[in-house]
Structure formats: structure tokens, C-alpha cells
Amino acid sequence: MISFSNTKGWLKISSTNKKANLYIVGIVLAVLTFWMFAQSMINILPAMTADMDVSLGTLNISTSLTSLFSGLFIVVAGGLSDRSGRKKMTFFGLGLSILGSFLVIIAQGPSLLIIGRAIQGISAAFIMPATIALIKTAFNEADRQRALSYWSFGSWGGGGVATLAGGLVATYMDWRWIFIFSIIVALISMWILRDIEESKVNDYKKEPFDYIGFAIFIFLLLGVNIVITQGQEFGWFSPIIIGLMIVTLILAVLFFMYEKKRKFQFIDFNLFKSRPYTGAVTSNFLQNGIAATIVVANTYVQIARGFSAFETGLLTIGNIVALLIMIRVGERMLQKIGARKPMLWAIFIAAIGMSLAAMTFLPDILYVIVVFIGFLIAGIGIGMYATPSLDTSVVHISNDKVGVASGIYKMASSLGYSFGLAISTAVYGTVEAITSNIHLAASGGMFTALAFGAVSIWIVAKTMSPEEGLKTKPILATSKIN
């Protein structure tokens, strides 16, 4: 068993403890079940279209559905991890991941595929906040930042590897093997983490769950997602889309007014009294929106340039390598100059890098070179951003709220990716329908990265002081931690 000592409400793990390092490996593998394997679907849509009785539109919905469902349920799952135990919820999430992957494997049509993808999203909702909370309650200062860097290897790094891994498997094996591997990795993670110490809040105040707020929130986000993903197909000025827009606006106003009056809210808005936390969550949403535009590039090079799924994945090798290297560099920058500067630089670099794929007027060889360099540059930015942002999101939060706070932070990740994917592909589809020019359409879709980046830079500049992340002091738990 791992050795813990309780100091001022904090659980400590020695960074030299081999068992602790093994547990970090288990946590990273758990995170990979979503970020690498479930997200591999972004690069195998052509292969799935040829193999299944499912339209490309349905596949696009099922691709974003996983991130959407993760975002919908992650705050609830984060709260459950605080009350019921972070280890227990991690294992529950891994079990759901196995079930979701199995349903995708056996799917022949849209029904099982959509159900399986939704379950995969819910599994990620349980795994991500629970594992972050395990790290936050077990490590302090530099050790915590180190552990969060490895967690980021699983999330950002896994997302970067997803296109290459998915393309490799889909091209030389069968796309279903992606989800078979996911089941195997989930089982290995469960075996590694079988003896990890449970962590939960013993005297958690039993607060009534905000079922009405949760329901409004679900319908609100579903409405927004449907409008964005289906607007081009139904027509942006069709009665269906206009009606959904009106309903969505009404739900947004209703949600805000209802939650404002409640004592116990579905989303704890008190957390956003911390400006650095607000900046980390909001910029995380937008940074994931930048990363999601890679789906447009993947689709474009396969359809318009004749690339295979594996060849498309090869374009991301530089992105993967740069991202993994820069995660630890971002950690060092956080410790030396704080969180604000590396986050601002990272967002700018990521947005510029991704937008280089918009240069679709270039001939094949030159375009490939530019896209490769652009993805590499984006990897530098995404990797640099990961640890400063994640550490900022937890360091200001008390231990009894870290599960909920982590849930909101990762909800921003999932929803940011889902809406970034939906918006960029909607621009792509709309421009193509208007102009019948796939090259111009892809360029428009990729340029959305610049819009996400500009807003994100403004938010970080407004919410974080230059000293953020330097000489941080841990927030003490307000409840006893087991």
C-alpha cells in the first residue's frame, strides 16, 4: 500500500515512491481510454462510412457526441467523486468505457454506435475529475505539478496521438481494433489502481441535487449542438433551426435566472469568484476549440488530397512530439515565471499553428510541409498550456470542492472540443454548400482557430495576474479527507 501522511488537511506522496509512480501510470492509462482511443474516431470517419450503414452526418454527430456527453455529466460525476470516493468513481468510469467500446465494436448501424459513443462520453465524465482529485489530494506544490504534467500526457498527449493511432489501426488492421485496445488498456488501468488509497470527503454536507437545473442545462447544450451541427443540412433560416435557436435562447435565460436564485446549484458559481480559476476554465474551453479544428484538416486531406487515414495521421507526428515535450517545459515555466505568461504565449502559438492548415491554395507537396509545420507549432502551444492551466484550476480550490471544480474544468475541455469541432465543421460545410469549393471551405473551417485564440488571449490577460502560479500556497480542506 502507498504511504500517506496528513499535513494540514493534505495527503502527501513522496515523488520518489515507486508505487506512487506506478499509480500515475494507471491514472494516465485511465485518461487515455477517452483521449486517445475514443477520440481516434476523428480520423477514421471515411473507413467507418465504407464499412457501416451510417451516413457521414450521423458519424459527425457521434464523433462530437462523446465530448458533449462528457461535458454534460462531468460536473455531476465530479461531485460524486467527492462524496463517494475518487477511486470508486474512476473504476466506475473505466467500466463504462469498456461497455461503450464494446457497443461501438458490435455496432452495424446508428443505434448502437450512438449509444456506445454516449456511454464513452459518460465514462470520461467520471474518470477525469476523479483522477485529478486523486492527484490534488495526494501531492503538493512541485510534486503536484509534476503529477499533473503526466496527467496532461494522457489528456493532451493522448488527444495528439489519437489521429495517428486511429489512422494506423484503420489503415492496416480494422477500425474496430481501436476500441478493442481501449478495453485492454482500461483493464490494465484497473489492475494497476486496484490497491490505491481511496480519497473522499467524510463529512460532506448532504446537499439536495439540482435536478431541474441539470435538466435545463442538458437541453440547453443539446439545442446549441444541434443548431451548430445541423444548421447547414436543414438550412440556417429554416423554421426548424430558427425555432431551435429561439428555444435555446429561452433555455439559456431560464437557466441563468433559475440558478441565480438557488442556494444549491448544479454548477457552483461560487467557484468563479476566483478570477484565476475563471480564466483557466474559460481559456481551457477555447484552447480545446482550437485543437478541434484539426478534424477539418483531417477530413479535407483525405477527401480533397487523397490521403489515407494513416497518411493523415503522419501529419500529426510533429504535433505529438512537440506537445509531449512542451508539457514538462510548461511545468518548468510555471514554476519559474508563473502561469500567465506561458498560457498567453501558448494560446497564441496554438492558434497560429492550427490556422496554417487554412493555406489550401498551396500545391500538394508544399501544403503537406506547411500543415506538418503548423501542427508542430500548435503542439508547442498546446503542450505549453496544459500544466499551468490545470494547476491554476485546482490550486485555489479547497479539497472538499476539488472534484466539482475539476469536473467544471474538464467540462470546459469536453464542451470546448465538441463545440470547436461542431463550429469548424459547420463553417466547412456551409462554405462548401455555398461555393462548391472544398478548398475554400476547408480554409474557412480552419480559420476558426484564430477566433478562438483571440478571445482566449483576452480572457487570460484580464483574469490572471503576472504573479499567478508563483509561490502558491495550498488551500486547506474545509472537510476531513479520508
Side-chain angles (χ1 to χ4, degrees):
M1 296 292 291
I2 193 167
S3 176
F4 290 91
S5 64
N6 196 331
T7 305
K8 294 184 179 180
W10 282 73
L11 298 175
K12 308 284 185 174
I13 299 179
S14 170
S15 61
T16 60
N17 191 309
K18 291 182 179 180
K19 195 71 170 178
N21 291 335
L22 183 62
Y23 288 153
I24 291 175
V25 171
I27 287 173
V28 170
L29 290 177
V31 174
L32 285 176
T33 59
F34 173 72
W35 285 106
M36 188 169 84
F37 294 105
Q39 295 294 69
S40 290
M41 192 168 164
I42 66 176
N43 196 29
I44 61 174
L45 296 186
M48 295 180 71
T49 303
D51 191 47
M52 300 177 68
D53 184 23
V54 178
S55 68
L56 183 60
T58 301
L59 287 174
N60 282 331
I61 292 173
S62 63
T63 301
S64 63
L65 195 65
T66 304
S67 295
L68 179 63
F69 268 72
S70 173
L72 288 173
F73 289 94
I74 201 166
V75 178
V76 178
L80 285 173
S81 73
D82 288 333
R83 298 192 296 270
S84 302
R86 286 80 184 234
K87 175 184 176 180
K88 183 186 294 184
M89 291 301 101
T90 299
F91 273 67
F92 182 70
L94 288 169
L96 288 178
S97 177
I98 292 171
L99 174 60
S101 295
F102 177 74
L103 291 177
V104 173
I105 290 168
I106 66 173
Q108 296 297 322
S111 299
L112 285 182
L113 175 64
I114 289 174
I115 293 171
R117 293 290 293 173
I119 292 175
Q120 284 182 320
I122 296 171
S123 77
F126 280 91
I127 290 170
M128 288 190 287
T131 51
I132 292 175
L134 278 174
I135 290 173
K136 204 269 183 175
T137 55
F139 295 88
N140 194 4
E141 291 298 336
D143 287 337
R144 181 192 67 246
Q145 293 165 353
R146 167 182 168 270
L148 290 174
S149 287
Y150 285 110
W151 192 98
S152 295
F153 283 157
S155 58
W156 287 107
V161 175
T163 56
L164 178 61
L168 179 64
V169 174
T171 301
Y172 295 105
M173 299 175 69
D174 181 283
W175 63 265
R176 289 179 176 83
W177 274 98
I178 295 169
F179 302 101
I180 294 174
F181 290 142
S182 182
I183 292 173
I184 294 171
V185 168
L187 292 172
I188 294 173
S189 175
M190 294 172 80
W191 183 81
I192 292 175
L193 297 176
R194 68 192 185 281
D195 293 330
I196 194 171
E197 192 81 17
E198 182 61 280
S199 168
K200 64 179 179 179
V201 180
N202 280 341
D203 57 347
Y204 193 94
K205 297 178 181 179
K206 294 185 180 294
E207 301 174 351
F209 184 71
D210 183 10
Y211 290 102
I212 296 177
F214 180 52
I216 297 173
F217 186 72
I218 287 178
F219 285 112
L220 169 61
L221 290 185
L222 284 175
V224 173
N225 192 264
I226 292 172
V227 167
I228 294 172
T229 58
Q230 301 301 305
Q232 187 269 326
E233 183 171 338
F234 286 101
W236 291 105
F237 297 102
S238 67
I240 293 177
I241 296 301
I242 292 176
L244 277 173
M245 289 180 179
I246 294 172
V247 171
T248 301
L249 287 173
I250 293 173
L251 287 173
V253 174
L254 181 62
F255 179 75
F256 176 77
M257 294 180 64
Y258 177 78
E259 292 293 293
K260 188 177 180 180
K261 296 178 181 179
R262 283 187 58 83
K263 181 179 180 181
F264 303 113
Q265 302 164 333
F266 162 60
I267 295 178
D268 189 351
F269 289 108
N270 288 325
L271 294 170
F272 292 97
K273 291 180 179 178
S274 167
R275 288 170 60 86
Y277 177 79
T278 301
V281 170
T282 310
S283 65
N284 184 42
F285 175 91
L286 295 165
Q287 185 80 331
N288 276 273
I290 294 172
T293 58
I294 196 172
V295 177
V296 173
N298 287 342
T299 304
Y300 168 72
V301 297
Q302 292 184 57
I303 295 176
R305 305 274 179 159
F307 280 42
S308 69
F310 176 59
E311 289 169 338
T312 302
L314 289 176
L315 288 174
T316 66
I317 288 179
N319 178 276
I320 298 164
V321 174
L323 190 153
L324 293 176
I325 292 173
M326 292 304 297
I327 284 175
R328 294 306 304 273
V329 174
E331 174 193 335
R332 298 290 189 271
M333 294 176 73
L334 166 66
Q335 294 165 355
K336 291 184 179 297
I337 62 174
R340 187 176 190 265
K341 286 183 179 179
M343 287 176 68
L344 288 171
W345 297 342
I347 295 165
F348 176 78
I349 292 170
I352 293 297
M354 278 298 182
S355 66
L356 288 181
M359 301 176 68
T360 56
F361 57 87
L362 296 173
D364 284 345
I365 295 178
L366 187 55
Y367 181 73
V368 168
I369 294 173
V370 169
V371 171
F372 185 89
I373 294 173
F375 285 173
L376 186 151
I377 293 172
I380 293 173
I382 293 171
M384 187 192 301
Y385 174 88
T387 303
S389 172
L390 182 55
D391 187 68
T392 301
S393 74
V394 299
V395 72
H396 295 279
I397 307 301
S398 61
N399 283 355
D400 63 327
K401 292 288 186 180
V402 68
V404 173
S406 299
I408 293 173
Y409 179 84
K410 293 312 297 180
M411 177 182 71
S413 297
S414 298
L415 293 181
Y417 195 91
S418 178
F419 285 110
L421 188 157
I423 291 169
S424 60
T425 54
V427 172
Y428 174 86
T430 300
V431 175
E432 185 180 16
I434 294 173
T435 65
S436 298
N437 187 328
I438 191 172
H439 307 291
L440 184 61
S443 182
M446 291 303 302
F447 271 134
T448 59
L450 292 178
F452 284 115
V455 177
S456 186
I457 288 172
W458 180 81
I459 288 172
V460 171
K462 290 293 184 180
T463 57
M464 294 191 186
S465 68
E467 294 77 27
E468 179 60 41
L470 293 173
K471 297 180 180 180
T472 56
K473 295 181 179 181
I475 302 297
L476 303 184
T478 57
S479 299
K480 183 180 179 182
I481 306 295
N482 190 24

